[in-house]
Amino acid sequence: MNSHAFTALAHIPILVLPVGPIPRAAFEKYAAEIRTFDSIRLGDIPAGVKDERARFMPNPLSSGYLYLSYPSHPAPPRHLPLSLFRPSHFTLGIIGVAACSSSYSLASALDQFENTVLDISPEGSTFPLAKVCFAFEDEESAGSTGLGDTLSGIVSIPSVMGNKKLYIGTLLADLCSHILAELGRVYHVLESPVGNEYLNSALFPTLPSPSEMPLSLSSANLGFTSYSSQPELDSSSFATPNIQIKRSSTAGPGISHTASLIQRQSTLGPSAVRKRVSAVGAVSSHGRLYKVLGDFFLLAGRTEDASLWYTEAIVLFKTGQDPVWHASVLEGMATVFVLDAWSAGQGLQSSVSNNGIKEPWVDIYEQLSQAIVLYNKAPVLSELSQDHSLLALTYCTAVMRQTSLLFCTWSTKGWGALAFASMLQPGSTSYVQKTTSDSSWTNLERLSIVSGVSRSQIANTVSQAHGPWLLHLGPHERLTILQYMASIYSSLGYRRKEAFILREVISCIMDLIVCGREEDDLLRKSDVGSTGTGNRSENGDEVSMAGKGAVSVRQNEILEGNQSILKLLVRACKVLGVDLEAVGVAKAADGISSEVGSGDSNGSSVEDLEGLTDAAKESFGWPELQVGVIREAIAVAEALPASDPLAVARISLSALRTMHFVLASSDQYHLHQTAGRALAAMRRRGDAPAVEYWAGHPIMSLALLPLALHRLPIENLFSILTATTSTTNSLLNGITDPFLYNPRKSSGPQGKNLIVQGEPIELTITLRNPYVFDLEIQSLLLSTTGVEFECSPVSALVIPPNTLYPVTIVGTAKTRGTLVFRGCIVQAPWGAAREFLLPVPTDADQNLFARRQSAMKCESGRTKYWGLDSRPWEKDGRRLSTLLPSLKKPPQFLQCFVVPEQPLLRIRWTSLTHGAVMLYNGEESTIRLTLENISALPIDFLRLSFEDSTIGPAQEALSEGELSVFETYETEYDLLHRKAFSWRNEKEVTNILPNQKVVLSVTCVGKVGCAHGTVHISYSQVDREHEEQVPASVFYTRQLSYPVTVTVYHMLECHDLRLMPMVDVDYDDIGHRASNSVIHLLPEVDDPAEWCLFAIDVRNTYGLPFEVTFEREQTGTESAAISSTVPPGSMSRIMLPVKKFRLLDDQISQPIPTLSDRQFVVGKSKLSIEEEQAQRELFWYREELLKIVSARWKETNGDRHGDLSLRQQRLTLPMLKALRTDVVQVDLTLVVDSSDGSPQELDYIGGKYIASPNEMLYLRVEVANSSLSPLVMALDLIFDPAEQVLSEGVLSNLAVGKLKSEETKTVEVPLCFLCAGRFEIGAEVRIMGSLKNSRAGASRICISVREDG
């Protein structure tokens, strides 16, 4: 059934046909003008006749409408039994459209029209009831077409006619008038006893042909015979004229059974009964007659009369003897109700208000439900399969009519004028399409709430049409019903049910194609067999044998419609999670397409981090079902006319691309081979379009292999050429940042990729094959922008199954500038080249990717998505589009800077053997390196830098910040002043010409802990006046490194440093304890109070003896040196007199310096002011002592020598007191009165005074202020032993008074020794008012009291 309108039972179908050589555009134009008339007022229908044909003619003042429909094709002949059961299913009128010209006359058009009508009208059919041909005059042939001729059956329409639409409407009204008249004639035959018997003779009866009637049914001419396609039916031949049909609640028409029996006996002879012997002669009910009468009144637009006779028919059908016709009456009653409602509510723009509880459409729905039940339970007494087919068709039509009721109400937001319009003429308004175009869940549910009709109710209703009864339908009917069901499911948003029905639609279409091809092959075989010539190939093609060769004739099949079938296939498969359009056809005009690494998903630079994980995508659907759908799709594509090989290849490759992670190995092999065969077939035919790249995202990574270290260019600023060479920066490069933590340093730009112009570079591309078969890459080429880059493409690559395959490409940059590697251009088998972009993920991209992965893991399993929203791409778009912002920055790619050509050095010769050197600690050695310039460019910049194994740990300790201030200074001092390698003749080489050799001398010093080191030679051509330096602020150098293995022997160690005042030194014991000739230096000590003794132990841990020499270089004294030989395994003590000194207060108050610009952290142990001041004094006095005293060693039996470091020694407070000169000078002298009364100093021998017991002596104390400010001092005297000394006055807190700078004051104290022995006298001067009355000066003398003194 062509029309699915709810009120199709009230439509008069009119078929519009092209006649003659009319252009398609002209026919569509004229046919569109005709189809604009979807209804005609009953008042516009001309009456014309007054006999039985006027039964269905409207009254002149009728206000109803006659509804028209324009099917695209007539009903098939197999539906002929429905001609009386469902007259609206057949073409009641035919309109021919012809374009007349000077070469095509009206007579020719009329003849061709008559022949066309005969061809499309089935034999024995009552329809069409009327026909007419409209001849439109061509505008170019106006006046010469002979339209003035009058022919019966054709109406001419001149091109100059002003209002053609009005004229066409008049002609349509005239045609409808003749159709209604013919309906009256048909019913006049049916209401006769014989006609009623034929009407009740079968489940779906038809009128017999005139030859089967007992008498001739011809009648007089009606005046417009061209409208009728059947012989005239004359009721005058029947024996019972003027039978009056009177409505009765029980009996129907007033026809008695006796009269009916008499009529049958007098008119029907044995010869007249051929097919219905058992039916004719039985007592017949009038229910079917009333039902047909109601159908005809419904077609005539007279709903009141139709409702009247439908009611009478229902009364007769209540017995249940005829459920099929009963169900049809219920459908007619439902149609009458809608038409009456339409007439009552026409013109309303909103839904009709319903104040009752029950919706107005519920009664109609229940009537149709009853009709569906009757159709479903109706018994089929006949064994003819045709009855089963027609009954299934009527059942499915009733289901579609009930579905149309609900769908129109739902889509128009309730019961009202819009619903009536959509049920009356579905194609006359676009409101339904506009409302249902928004397939969002919100809109669909809103329609359900507003209309009161749920989507599930509509879906359950339409699902009644799907069942085994579809197998009884013909292919066209089955296809029509399935198409209607699919469209309903699509409008409801039920995509999966739509896909299920679409698969059946495709199956039905393919059955038609295959059956048609088989019928054609049988026909062609029969033709060939009848001629008796030629042979047949296996596929049915004709083959002509000529010798050994054979020529096959390939059928030229029509390809129109293939794409539509494939679109249905793609739509159905996509709902099931299978994308058959993942691989398209590459267009030559588009060039090379590009794809960012996100691969197949959403196209952001983040989607490229995700595009490499195709196999990790979340699965959707049943893999077994999806694999089965793919096989069906390939079978459909292969069965299409001309066996579309391109579609087969695209489907196979799309399945490989999107579903390889769920496909079995055999399926992958099969799809790969199927695609290869299909594309090979296209190439054989001469049509081989390239498909898009299908093998997923093959590029896993693109990396630039680092250049060799001796070829790597290094960027430098021009400012280093003029700046003074800083050793600090070169050695403390690990801690140049003055801050312990600098966040800006970590966020700075990454290192640049520098390559040299004209020199080859290597790039590694990692390819991936996710399939189980060998993947062939026909071509692989780098995609670059910027400067010119020359590289040869890689071809004929075969990647093993499920592996990562690295490929190395060598290329050369031809000019200077920026070179950007966007990705690779890859060409797979049978495919077009495609550019795959590989952006370099930034920190923001990686952060977004991490957040996206975290969000996906967090949401996985937590949220349930219903329907098709559970598909991975739909799910990702819903959950990530709202959670994460999208990056709008352009992607960043691998970028290289091409620098100008650079010279190249090599080390031709060295003085070391195997690059190793062995030294003693502190020993120096010279390493000679011979360099050769092997390039064509001169070198005018040469600089050496060094590193050794001691630098790294020292820098790490400094960077940790756990060292004290003193330890930090010592570590930095060791890095700066005790370097393992150095280049002392920096200006010995300035230029190196091409192919020239030079010799460099590097000094290596033995340093404990140094195991290896490296000599770095940086060189470049700075002067490029003939070239434009871009940018001008930098230049590029290369670095040549020479590693050296160092072995240092630690043979001498210094221990136990001591500083003792000379006044405390026992000269007699010096010769026994010292192992050097310190005795000859003692005469230099004129005043023991001004000197101290430097003593240290030296131990030899090596197996050879060494001679150790300590030297003293002190201002105000002569240089002195002490030498001593230290045997292996022994220890020697070295003593050396050092004159005391005192540093200025400004110097010792300065903090301990740092040799770098590093920021220090406050120490963990907080010192007091006094402790901090003492620490500073110890530091500065130690530094001054190390400047005065130095040490060196020499091999006893050899020439090797070196320095001995004393920086491991520490200075203590007692040592500081011994080394530092006091602020106040205290001088003690013992005097005695001579015989003449003058004071005389006692004898001073061997560092002590010689005195006699019981002799009056005087202790003279001279106090001198050596500071720059006046001081108030007090004196304390100490005698040991005090009990054997007799003195006058007090011995403590003797007031000295205030002494100015450089002022001296003498204090005398009488005393007497009471016995002989050894005595000591000490004096201490304190500054009054200072903190804790600290000592400012002290002195001590020794006295030997003897009887002979």
Side-chain angles (χ1 to χ4, degrees):
M1 296 186 177
N2 197 29
S3 176
H4 302 300
F6 179 85
T7 58
L9 296 177
H11 289 181
I12 296 179
I14 298 177
L15 183 64
V16 181
L17 298 176
V19 178
I22 181 173
R24 184 180 183 88
F27 171 74
E28 295 294 341
K29 173 185 175 183
Y30 299 141
E33 293 182 1
I34 296 173
R35 294 189 181 105
T36 55
F37 294 91
D38 54 3
S39 62
I40 296 178
R41 294 179 58 86
L42 295 180
D44 297 337
I45 304 297
V49 293
K50 299 295 183 180
D51 51 8
E52 70 276 0
R53 292 177 297 176
R55 182 187 300 270
F56 302 105
M57 289 294 179
N59 296 326
L61 300 180
S62 298
S63 59
Y65 287 87
L66 201 66
Y67 301 103
L68 307 180
S69 63
Y70 300 93
S72 58
H73 57 275
R78 60 180 176 274
H79 292 176
L80 188 60
L82 295 176
S83 57
L84 296 178
F85 179 80
R86 188 64 53 82
S88 61
H89 177 56
F90 295 87
T91 302
L92 301 183
I94 296 180
I95 298 177
V97 178
C100 292
S101 61
S102 58
S103 59
Y104 190 71
S105 62
L106 294 178
S108 301
L110 181 60
D111 293 340
Q112 192 165 357
F113 174 63
E114 293 289 348
N115 294 332
T116 303
V117 172
L118 291 177
D119 291 339
I120 64 175
S121 299
E123 183 179 359
S125 174
T126 310
F127 308 105
L129 299 179
K131 60 181 183 298
V132 67
C133 181
F134 293 166
F136 292 87
E137 183 182 18
D138 190 0
E139 295 180 358
E140 298 179 355
S141 305
S144 60
T145 57
L147 290 182
D149 302 336
T150 302
L151 295 177
S152 176
I154 188 169
V155 179
S156 60
I157 302 176
S159 60
V160 295
M161 179 177 292
N163 194 348
K164 292 182 181 180
K165 186 174 182 180
L166 180 61
Y167 186 48
I168 292 174
T170 303
L171 296 177
L172 287 176
D174 196 11
L175 176 65
C176 293
S177 174
H178 287 277
I179 292 175
L180 296 181
E182 292 299 320
L183 288 177
R185 295 178 59 252
V186 171
Y187 183 77
H188 185 65
V189 175
L190 293 177
E191 69 179 350
S192 65
V194 176
N196 192 30
E197 291 299 328
Y198 275 99
L199 187 61
N200 290 272
S201 61
L203 179 62
F204 298 108
T206 58
L207 280 179
S209 61
S211 61
E212 295 179 352
M213 286 295 180
L215 298 175
S216 176
L217 299 178
S218 61
S219 61
N221 196 345
L222 298 177
F224 198 3
T225 57
S226 61
Y227 277 89
S228 177
S229 60
Q230 296 295 328
E232 299 291 343
L233 300 179
D234 190 0
S235 61
S236 61
S237 60
F238 288 86
T240 308
N242 300 325
I243 296 179
Q244 301 295 327
I245 297 180
K246 298 180 180 180
R247 184 169 59 89
S248 173
S249 60
T250 56
I255 303 176
S256 64
H257 299 289
T258 304
S260 177
L261 180 60
I262 295 173
Q263 177 65 22
R264 286 195 301 271
Q265 292 176 352
S266 61
T267 58
L268 299 179
S271 61
V273 181
R274 298 181 181 179
K275 296 183 181 180
R276 301 179 181 88
V277 179
S278 62
V280 177
V283 178
S284 302
S285 171
H286 297 88
R288 294 188 178 184
L289 183 64
Y290 295 161
K291 184 264 180 189
V292 173
L293 182 60
D295 289 342
F296 287 172
F297 275 120
L298 186 60
L299 290 173
R302 297 166 60 177
T303 57
E304 295 181 0
D305 295 333
S307 177
L308 179 68
W309 292 108
Y310 279 149
T311 305
E312 293 295 330
I314 289 177
V315 172
L316 297 178
F317 287 142
K318 282 185 177 180
T319 59
Q321 300 297 327
D322 207 348
V324 177
W325 286 74
H326 185 191
S328 181
V329 172
L330 294 176
E331 290 187 81
M333 289 292 292
T335 305
V336 170
F337 185 88
V338 171
L339 291 178
D340 292 342
W342 161 256
S343 301
Q346 185 176 12
L348 297 179
Q349 300 301 323
S350 59
S351 298
V352 177
S353 60
N354 180 27
N355 297 325
I357 299 177
K358 189 167 63 173
E359 294 286 345
W361 51 267
V362 173
D363 293 335
I364 306 176
Y365 182 80
E366 293 176 353
Q367 285 183 345
L368 294 176
S369 298
Q370 183 181 359
I372 293 173
V373 172
L374 291 174
Y375 280 132
N376 190 24
K377 296 182 178 180
V380 181
L381 301 178
S382 175
E383 296 181 357
L384 298 177
S385 60
Q386 185 178 15
D387 289 344
H388 290 276
S389 175
L390 297 178
L391 181 59
L393 178 62
T394 55
Y395 169 78
C396 294
T397 306
V399 172
M400 290 190 293
R401 180 168 287 106
Q402 188 181 29
T403 304
S404 177
L405 171 69
L406 296 178
F407 181 77
C408 293
T409 306
W410 173 78
S411 60
T412 56
K413 303 179 182 179
W415 186 259
L418 294 176
F420 301 151
S422 60
M423 286 188 286
L424 190 64
Q425 295 289 348
S428 62
T429 175
S430 61
Y431 181 79
V432 175
Q433 290 81 357
K434 181 179 179 181
T435 306
T436 58
S437 60
D438 184 6
S439 59
S440 62
W441 180 87
T442 305
N443 179 65
L444 299 178
E445 288 299 316
R446 182 174 58 87
L447 290 177
S448 300
I449 295 174
V450 173
S451 62
V453 181
S454 64
R455 292 188 295 159
S456 60
Q457 186 178 4
I458 302 175
N460 293 335
T461 302
V462 74
S463 64
Q464 300 176 91
H466 190 272
W469 44 83
L470 290 178
L471 299 177
H472 294 287
L473 298 178
H476 180 266
E477 291 78 8
R478 188 184 315 128
L479 184 62
T480 302
I481 292 172
L482 292 175
Q483 177 185 356
Y484 178 79
M485 294 178 65
S487 63
I488 291 295
Y489 284 137
S490 176
S491 300
L492 295 177
Y494 291 170
R495 302 299 180 190
R496 284 179 289 191
K497 291 186 177 181
E498 177 195 3
F500 175 75
I501 299 299
L502 285 181
R503 291 179 62 189
E504 296 195 14
V505 170
I506 296 172
S507 176
C508 185
I509 295 175
M510 298 314 299
D511 288 342
L512 292 174
I513 293 176
V514 173
C515 293
R517 185 180 292 121
E518 291 177 354
E519 293 176 0
D520 184 64
D521 289 344
L522 292 176
L523 180 61
R524 290 172 52 245
K525 287 181 180 179
S526 63
D527 293 341
V528 174
S530 63
T531 57
T533 59
N535 297 316
R536 304 296 295 175
S537 63
E538 294 181 358
N539 58 1
D541 294 339
E542 182 180 351
V543 180
S544 299
M545 304 298 296
K548 296 182 180 181
V551 177
S552 175
V553 179
R554 178 173 174 268
Q555 295 298 317
N556 185 16
E557 296 179 315
I558 299 176
L559 303 179
E560 184 179 359
N562 285 6
Q563 295 303 319
S564 300
I565 298 175
L566 293 177
K567 287 181 180 179
L568 287 179
L569 190 63
V570 169
R571 182 180 178 88
C573 291
K574 186 167 290 187
V575 173
L576 299 176
V578 180
D579 187 7
L580 299 183
E581 291 184 328
V583 177
V585 180
K587 298 181 181 179
D590 295 342
I592 299 175
S593 60
S594 62
E595 177 177 313
V596 182
S598 65
D600 306 329
S601 60
N602 304 324
S604 69
S605 62
V606 180
E607 291 180 6
D608 307 283
L609 299 170
E610 299 174 352
L612 303 180
T613 57
D614 292 338
K617 283 187 177 179
E618 191 175 353
S619 60
F620 170 77
W622 294 339
E624 296 82 1
L625 176 61
Q626 293 172 339
V627 173
V629 168
I630 293 173
R631 292 173 180 170
E632 291 180 8
I634 295 176
V636 168
E638 291 177 344
L640 288 175
S643 180
D644 194 352
L646 180 58
V648 174
R650 289 184 59 189
I651 293 172
S652 302
L653 297 179
S654 297
L656 283 175
R657 180 175 184 178
T658 58
M659 298 190 61
H660 64 272
F661 48 90
V662 298
L663 291 175
S665 301
S666 58
D667 293 331
Q668 292 191 31
Y669 278 114
H670 173 69
L671 293 174
H672 185 255
Q673 294 173 359
T674 301
R677 288 195 303 267
L679 293 174
M682 295 192 66
R683 286 194 294 271
R684 287 195 303 269
R685 296 179 183 180
D687 181 16
V691 296
E692 293 180 353
Y693 186 86
W694 55 269
H697 197 290
I699 310 299
M700 293 294 295
S701 63
L702 172 63
L704 175 67
L705 291 181
L707 298 175
L709 294 179
H710 68 282
R711 289 181 175 271
L712 182 66
I714 303 172
E715 183 178 295
N716 300 275
L717 297 175
F718 265 112
S719 58
I720 68 173
L721 299 177
T722 58
T724 305
T725 303
S726 176
T727 309
T728 303
N729 293 335
S730 60
L731 291 177
L732 303 179
N733 53 4
I735 53 171
T736 52
D737 196 345
F739 299 97
L740 292 178
Y741 171 72
N742 189 353
R744 296 183 179 180
K745 185 177 181 180
S746 59
S747 61
Q750 300 179 353
K752 299 179 181 179
N753 295 317
L754 300 180
I755 60 177
V756 182
Q757 173 187 354
E759 295 187 7
I761 60 173
E762 295 182 349
L763 293 100
T764 299
I765 304 172
T766 304
L767 304 176
R768 179 189 63 162
N769 179 13
Y771 305 106
V772 298
F773 50 82
D774 292 337
L775 179 61
E776 179 185 356
I777 301 296
Q778 294 184 355
S779 176
L780 178 65
L781 183 65
L782 288 174
S783 173
T784 63
T785 58
V787 302
E788 180 184 357
F789 184 76
E790 179 180 333
C791 69
S792 57
V794 180
S795 58
L797 282 177
V798 178
I799 308 176
N802 294 317
T803 57
L804 298 178
Y805 188 79
V807 178
T808 301
I809 295 182
V810 181
T812 305
K814 294 300 183 181
T815 57
R816 294 180 296 173
T818 302
L819 177 62
V820 178
F821 294 95
R822 292 168 50 87
C824 298
I825 300 175
V826 186
Q827 184 176 5
W830 323 306
R834 184 169 191 175
E835 180 185 15
F836 288 90
L837 306 183
L838 276 179
V840 178
T842 60
D843 293 340
D845 294 337
Q846 292 179 350
N847 185 25
L848 180 59
F849 179 72
R851 292 170 57 194
R852 187 182 296 269
Q853 293 296 325
S854 177
M856 292 177 64
K857 291 180 181 179
C858 182
E859 286 225 354
S860 179
R862 293 181 56 188
T863 306
K864 179 175 177 58
Y865 297 88
W866 63 278
L868 297 183
D869 291 340
S870 60
R871 289 181 293 183
W873 52 87
E874 296 287 344
K875 194 184 301 183
D876 293 344
R878 286 177 179 269
R879 64 187 176 192
L880 295 181
S881 60
T882 56
L883 294 178
L884 299 180
S886 59
L887 288 179
K888 298 182 179 180
K889 297 181 180 179
Q892 298 181 5
F893 301 98
L894 177 61
Q895 188 173 3
C896 299
F897 295 91
V898 184
V899 304
E901 296 182 64
Q902 299 294 319
L904 187 62
L905 276 180
R906 71 169 180 175
I907 299 177
R908 186 63 180 270
W909 180 84
T910 66
S911 61
L912 298 181
T913 302
H914 304 297
V917 59
M918 292 181 290
L919 300 171
Y920 291 123
N921 185 18
E923 182 185 4
E924 290 186 1
S925 178
T926 301
I927 303 174
R928 289 181 296 275
L929 303 175
T930 302
L931 306 180
E932 181 182 3
N933 185 0
I934 60 176
S935 65
L937 298 177
I939 298 174
D940 54 7
F941 174 81
L942 187 68
R943 182 167 295 180
L944 271 65
S945 60
F946 312 95
E947 62 177 273
D948 59 79
S949 58
T950 62
I951 295 178
Q955 291 178 346
E956 183 178 358
L958 291 174
S959 62
E960 289 177 356
E962 298 294 334
L963 301 178
S964 64
V965 179
F966 182 78
E967 292 172 343
T968 301
Y969 177 83
E970 286 299 321
T971 304
E972 293 178 348
Y973 184 91
D974 187 72
L975 288 175
L976 296 178
H977 300 287
R978 298 191 70 246
K979 296 177 289 185
F981 297 92
S982 61
W983 185 34
R984 299 177 180 176
N985 300 323
E986 297 184 358
K987 297 185 179 179
E988 65 179 350
V989 177
T990 55
N991 295 311
I992 305 177
L993 299 178
N995 300 322
Q996 183 184 358
K997 300 177 183 178
V998 296
V999 179
L1000 299 181
S1001 298
V1002 177
T1003 301
C1004 179
V1005 178
K1007 188 176 180 180
V1008 176
C1010 180
H1012 55 83
T1014 306
V1015 180
H1016 299 294
I1017 305 171
S1018 300
Y1019 60 93
S1020 176
Q1021 182 189 10
V1022 179
D1023 187 10
R1024 296 175 182 262
E1025 297 181 354
H1026 59 285
E1027 300 179 5
E1028 182 181 357
Q1029 188 74 15
V1030 180
S1033 59
V1034 298
F1035 71 99
Y1036 300 93
T1037 61
R1038 276 180 169 168
Q1039 192 175 77
L1040 187 63
S1041 300
Y1042 179 70
V1044 179
T1045 302
V1046 182
T1047 303
V1048 180
Y1049 299 102
H1050 186 45
M1051 68 290 184
L1052 295 177
E1053 294 180 353
C1054 296
H1055 299 279
D1056 195 13
L1057 171 64
R1058 291 187 180 182
L1059 291 175
M1060 299 174 290
M1062 289 296 294
V1063 296
D1064 296 338
V1065 175
D1066 189 357
Y1067 288 86
D1068 297 334
D1069 191 45
I1070 290 179
H1072 298 88
R1073 298 179 59 186
S1075 59
N1076 51 48
S1077 55
V1078 70
I1079 303 299
H1080 72 281
L1081 296 178
L1082 293 179
E1084 296 181 1
V1085 181
D1086 51 354
D1087 186 2
E1090 296 182 358
W1091 288 78
C1092 66
L1093 185 64
F1094 173 88
I1096 193 170
D1097 294 335
V1098 180
R1099 184 176 64 180
N1100 185 357
T1101 61
Y1102 198 63
L1104 295 176
F1106 291 93
E1107 181 182 350
V1108 180
T1109 302
F1110 282 76
E1111 295 181 351
R1112 184 194 68 203
E1113 294 288 342
Q1114 191 173 10
T1115 305
T1117 62
E1118 296 181 359
S1119 299
I1122 298 296
S1123 297
S1124 177
T1125 299
V1126 184
S1130 63
M1131 181 183 295
S1132 298
R1133 188 168 185 83
I1134 308 298
M1135 294 185 179
L1136 183 66
V1138 177
K1139 190 176 183 178
K1140 293 183 178 181
F1141 59 89
R1142 185 175 186 86
L1143 300 178
L1144 299 177
D1145 294 340
D1146 295 341
Q1147 182 177 356
I1148 63 176
S1149 62
Q1150 293 180 359
I1152 299 176
T1154 175
L1155 301 181
S1156 64
D1157 296 331
R1158 186 172 176 270
Q1159 177 187 12
F1160 288 100
V1161 180
V1162 178
K1164 296 181 179 179
S1165 60
K1166 297 187 177 181
L1167 303 178
S1168 62
I1169 298 177
E1170 294 79 5
E1171 292 174 342
E1172 185 177 358
Q1173 181 63 32
Q1175 187 184 45
R1176 292 178 180 179
E1177 289 187 20
L1178 289 174
F1179 174 79
W1180 289 112
Y1181 276 97
R1182 174 180 175 274
E1183 291 297 313
E1184 190 66 23
L1185 178 62
L1186 294 178
K1187 292 178 182 178
I1188 294 174
V1189 180
S1190 61
R1192 65 180 186 272
W1193 60 266
K1194 181 180 179 297
E1195 206 174 25
T1196 303
N1197 299 321
D1199 298 332
R1200 301 175 69 176
H1201 58 87
D1203 295 332
L1204 183 61
S1205 177
L1206 301 176
R1207 298 201 67 87
Q1208 292 79 16
Q1209 308 306 313
R1210 296 294 180 262
L1211 199 64
T1212 61
L1213 287 176
M1215 295 181 190
L1216 177 62
K1217 293 179 180 180
L1219 180 62
R1220 181 181 57 188
T1221 302
D1222 293 333
V1223 177
V1224 177
Q1225 299 292 333
V1226 180
D1227 189 13
L1228 298 179
T1229 307
L1230 284 177
V1231 298
V1232 64
D1233 293 335
S1234 61
S1235 58
D1236 55 358
S1238 61
Q1240 181 182 356
E1241 185 178 355
L1242 291 179
D1243 296 335
Y1244 186 78
I1245 302 173
K1248 50 183 178 288
Y1249 287 97
I1250 306 299
S1252 300
N1254 300 319
E1255 181 181 7
M1256 183 61 66
L1257 302 176
Y1258 294 92
L1259 178 63
R1260 182 180 295 173
V1261 182
E1262 293 183 357
V1263 180
N1265 184 7
S1266 300
S1267 65
L1268 300 179
S1269 58
L1271 300 174
V1272 177
M1273 294 172 284
L1275 176 64
D1276 293 332
L1277 296 177
I1278 301 173
F1279 297 152
D1280 186 23
E1283 62 272 9
Q1284 301 298 331
V1285 179
L1286 183 63
S1287 62
E1288 180 182 357
V1290 295
L1291 299 179
S1292 61
N1293 291 329
L1294 296 177
V1296 179
K1298 183 177 182 181
L1299 299 181
K1300 297 181 179 178
S1301 177
E1302 301 300 332
E1303 183 181 356
T1304 303
K1305 187 175 182 179
T1306 303
V1307 177
E1308 291 186 356
V1309 176
L1311 57 85
C1312 177
F1313 297 103
L1314 300 179
C1315 64
R1318 188 175 183 276
F1319 293 85
E1320 289 185 1
I1321 299 176
E1324 292 184 359
V1325 177
R1326 293 178 288 104
I1327 300 175
M1328 304 299 294
S1330 62
L1331 185 62
K1332 294 184 181 181
N1333 294 326
S1334 61
R1335 190 186 72 173
S1339 181
R1340 184 170 58 87
I1341 59 175
C1342 294
I1343 304 99
S1344 178
V1345 179
R1346 288 184 260 174
E1347 294 291 342
D1348 57 351

